[in-house]
Amino acid sequence: QTATTRTPLLDTVVAFMDGRDAWEGTASELLSTLEPLTSGLPTDGTRLSKELFGLASQLAAREIGIERLPRGRQRGIRLVRR
């Protein structure tokens, strides 16, 4: 994807983070939170995580950082407004 490519996930995460300083949880939790907001999202947490980390530079350009967190057997995600 190029820097100008917009995806439903990118737009939804940007809108979701509007007014938030941070969000933390698993990819599945994030998917459950975002699903009511739009269509065209990845079908499961694994795909969401992969796509989300693929959008890291585009999120950074919108002042949103993404980090992986160790959470026992599950991997966590932290989204942070920069």
Side-chain angles (χ1 to χ4, degrees):
Q1 293 186 355
T2 65
T4 58
T5 301
R6 296 182 65 101
T7 69
L9 180 57
L10 177 64
D11 293 339
T12 303
V13 169
V14 170
F16 172 71
M17 288 301 292
D18 188 38
R20 283 184 172 82
D21 290 330
W23 180 90
E24 198 172 292
T26 66
S28 295
E29 290 167 347
L30 182 59
L31 182 59
S32 294
T33 302
L34 298 179
E35 277 180 326
L37 305 178
T38 191
S39 60
L41 294 177
T43 56
D44 60 44
T46 301
R47 288 180 175 89
L48 177 89
S49 180
K50 185 176 180 179
E51 187 173 329
L52 196 58
F53 279 94
L55 294 171
S57 64
Q58 294 179 61
L59 288 167
R62 290 161 179 82
E63 300 183 348
I64 298 170
I66 181 169
E67 305 164 4
R68 291 191 197 277
L69 300 174
R71 293 187 78 190
R73 293 174 53 116
Q74 294 182 318
R75 286 193 214 163
I77 294 173
R78 178 185 294 139
L79 298 170
V80 181
R81 176 69 63 187
R82 303 220 188 267

